[in-house]
């Protein structure tokens, strides 16, 4: 039977591309969105495979027909969007992280937005010549807690749904936050643990982000630079990490940990990638299908939950976002 899975690749400078055959071939799918735009965030509706939100350098777009056509949303969100998240308890509630660094919330599926009162830096920590950006937003599935990671500016947390915020960072190996994941410990009480990827390590917190400890992954990884940080919807105990030798770097690999960083497994990509592994994509429809991409354009697919992988034939210039949905 032919594979009709849709794979979506968000690029810098070439907008969005779509595959209708599981990733073997691609065509541009940016009608109504910037044709040569920068896509850094892509959010798929967990229950409607035709509904996608696209974060670009000029704002937010939505498609309700599987990326045949895009419509601009939220005129108040006319800035670079670097991250998107959906509330697991209410799919109409969205968060967007932007550059310059800010967090916005929508309660009507992206039609209107309000800026949340989260304290944000106007300069990067340590004087890095970048504009601070919110690279990741995480909504805890069990509470009203929101976490945001800033490149380069540490972490923010709200315990009341975004009304008030705390600045976090004690013990972090670096304030350069790339990814966040909330994972349940497999043994004992099943307490929640947070992992954060940075430019020089993976960090762990067992107290809701109050304090952090670096895991010293260079003992296990060839490189300490880490980026993607994702929990599979099918396994709440395992975190998948993309690593490499820099941004973009010229080498990369994929790892996963079943115990919040106590042990690591290097996954069997068919080669060392051409740059850091930037994106990992799951979907609730199939626990065995996983996609991963390097920032410099290589795509990989697993059909057995990550045990084995194949490199897909198409390569892009720069990939910043990745998602897949069941075909239809």
């Amino acid at each position: 039977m032919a594979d009709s899975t849709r794979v979506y690749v968000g690029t810098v400078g070439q907008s969005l591309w779509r595959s209708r055959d599981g990733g073997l071939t691609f065509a541009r799918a940016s009608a109504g969105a910037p044709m040569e735009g920068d896509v850094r965030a892509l959010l798929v509706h967990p229950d409607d495979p035709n509904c996608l939100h696209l974060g670009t350098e000029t704002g937010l777009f939505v498609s309700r027909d599987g990326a045949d056509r895009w419509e601009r949303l939220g005129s108040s969100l006319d800035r670079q969007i670097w991250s998107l998240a959906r509330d697991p308890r209410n799919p109409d509630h969205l968060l967007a992280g932007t550059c310059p660094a800010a967090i916005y919330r929508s309660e009507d599926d992206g039609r209107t937005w309000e800026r949340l009162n989260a304290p944000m830096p106007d300069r990067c920590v340590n004087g890095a010549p970048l504009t601070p950006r919110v690279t990741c937003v995480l909504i805890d599935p069990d509470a009203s807690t929101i976490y945001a990671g800033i490149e380069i500016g540490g972490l923010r947390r709200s315990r009341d749904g975004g009304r008030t915020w705390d600045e976090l960072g004690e013990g972090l190996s670096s304030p350069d936050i790339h990814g966040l994941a909330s994972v349940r410990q497999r043994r004992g009480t099943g307490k929640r643990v947070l992992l954060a990827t940075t430019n020089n390590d993976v960090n762990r917190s067992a107290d809701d982000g109050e304090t952090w400890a670096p895991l010293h992954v260079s003992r296990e990884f060839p490189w300490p630079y880490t980026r993607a940080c994702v929990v599979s919807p099918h396994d709440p105990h395992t975190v998948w990490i993309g690593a490499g030798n820099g941004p973009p770097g010229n080498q990369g690999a994929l790892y996963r940990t079943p115990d919040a960083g106590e042990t690591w497994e290097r996954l069997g990509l068919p080669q060392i990638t051409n740059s850091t592994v930037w994106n990992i994509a799951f979907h609730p429809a199939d626990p065995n299908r996983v996609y991963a991409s390097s920032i410099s354009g290589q795509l990989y697919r697993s059909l057995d939950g990550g045990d084995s992988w194949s490199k897909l034939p198409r390569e892009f210039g720069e990939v910043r976002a990745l998602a897949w949905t069941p075909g239809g």
Side-chain angles (χ1 to χ4, degrees), residues 275-292:
S275 54
T276 294
V277 174
W278 214 262
N279 304 287
I280 305 166
F282 298 95
H283 193 280
D286 185 349
N288 292 316
R289 185 179 291 264
V290 190
Y291 290 86

Side-chain angles (χ1 to χ4, degrees), residues 181-195:
S182 174
V183 62
R184 291 290 176 181
Q185 291 181 323
R186 196 177 296 272
R187 300 183 181 89
T189 61
K191 184 178 179 180
R192 180 183 63 222
V193 175
L194 298 174
L195 294 185

Side-chain angles (χ1 to χ4, degrees), residues 243 250-253 269 271-277 294 298 300:
N250 59 10
Q251 293 181 343
L269 297 180
Q271 63 191 60
I272 293 177
T273 62
N274 67 352
S275 54
T276 294
V277 174
S294 72
Q298 291 180 337
Y300 296 86

